[in-house]
Amino acid sequence: MAFLRPAGDPAREATLETRALYLRPPQMRDWRAWAELRALSREFLAPWEPIWPSDALTRSAFRRRIRRQQRDGQDDVGYAFFLFRKEDDALLGGMTLGNVQRGAAQSCSVGYWIGRPHARRGHMSEALGGLLGHCFGPLGLHRVEAACMPNNVASQKLLEKTGFTCEGEARAYLKIAGAWRDHLLYATISPRDRR
């Protein structure tokens, strides 16, 4: 994993590189590729996400999303990344680090999505591995948490493959596809802090 450090705060504005991918914060110029990939993948993603608002794929909604994500990054409470394939700069999906806690916790939650055409090809495990390096490196976090529904076997395998351990189950944890759903709770700890 290489960390490309721009001017300003490198931990907050970094572009991350893995073997075949790069991850960078979303930009307005990404709107069309993002909207097309999300539209193409809507049925694929719908069972695992909150219900999309009617304007979900509009340019103005994307602009609001980018502004919120930029504020979150400036406030050190969340970070968003898009995943791109190096060979052709194709947008593959997205990842977010949310609920960043400092002080005694030094933790965050990770969320992710991948477009239907790019699923089951190892891209997300490569990207998540790279993002964990960023969490435990420049961001200085101790713990990263994730949640997935018990019927999302692909997500469970991804988390376990990248070093997460299931720590339990939370009832009616998140409202997904219009209903409160139980979730399995996963976490991984920085290698420097493991006993």
Side-chain angles (χ1 to χ4, degrees):
M1 166 66 59
F3 299 96
L4 305 179
R5 297 175 184 249
D9 184 343
R12 296 180 185 187
E13 301 171 18
T15 295
L16 316 176
E17 280 192 31
T18 66
R19 182 186 52 76
L21 308 172
Y22 64 94
L23 290 74
R24 68 158 168 78
Q27 300 170 2
M28 273 309 297
R29 69 178 187 215
D30 300 320
W31 168 71
R32 186 169 308 283
W34 172 85
E36 289 173 0
L37 182 58
R38 295 282 294 177
L40 176 67
S41 305
R42 189 172 194 140
E43 282 185 36
F44 175 73
L45 296 171
W48 319 114
E49 295 188 353
I51 292 176
W52 295 9
S54 59
D55 70 341
L57 301 180
T58 65
R59 187 182 203 72
S60 59
F62 187 75
R63 182 178 293 111
R64 288 191 304 273
R65 175 188 298 265
I66 296 292
R67 287 181 184 152
R68 185 182 65 250
Q69 291 169 342
Q70 289 171 341
R71 281 192 309 271
D72 287 349
Q74 291 166 356
D75 294 341
D76 190 33
V77 296
Y79 299 93
F81 295 91
F82 278 170
L83 287 63
F84 297 90
R85 191 169 45 215
K86 283 182 182 178
E87 71 181 48
D88 59 1
D89 296 317
L91 175 64
L92 307 180
M95 306 181 85
T96 57
L97 301 174
N99 303 314
V100 175
Q101 301 293 313
R102 294 299 184 176
Q106 296 298 327
S107 67
C108 74
S109 299
V110 65
Y112 43 83
W113 66 274
I114 193 152
R116 183 176 52 84
H118 311 295
R120 311 259 193 299
R121 296 182 182 196
H123 299 306
M124 191 54 73
S125 59
E126 182 176 336
L128 184 53
L131 189 59
L132 289 174
H134 186 62
C135 290
F136 298 140
L139 288 179
L141 296 171
H142 161 73
R143 176 182 173 90
V144 177
E145 301 172 347
C148 67
M149 292 189 297
N151 62 333
N152 191 342
V153 176
S155 195
Q156 291 170 45
K157 287 181 179 179
L158 166 69
L159 292 169
E160 290 165 5
K161 181 178 180 179
T162 53
F164 285 77
T165 302
C166 185
E167 296 185 335
E169 187 170 350
R171 290 181 339 137
Y173 186 65
L174 294 172
K175 195 170 190 178
I176 301 296
W180 291 100
R181 312 281 181 175
D182 296 349
H183 279 67
L184 299 175
L185 304 179
Y186 282 81
T188 188
I189 305 296
S190 169
R192 71 178 177 272
D193 300 327
R194 292 181 188 153
R195 300 185 249 158

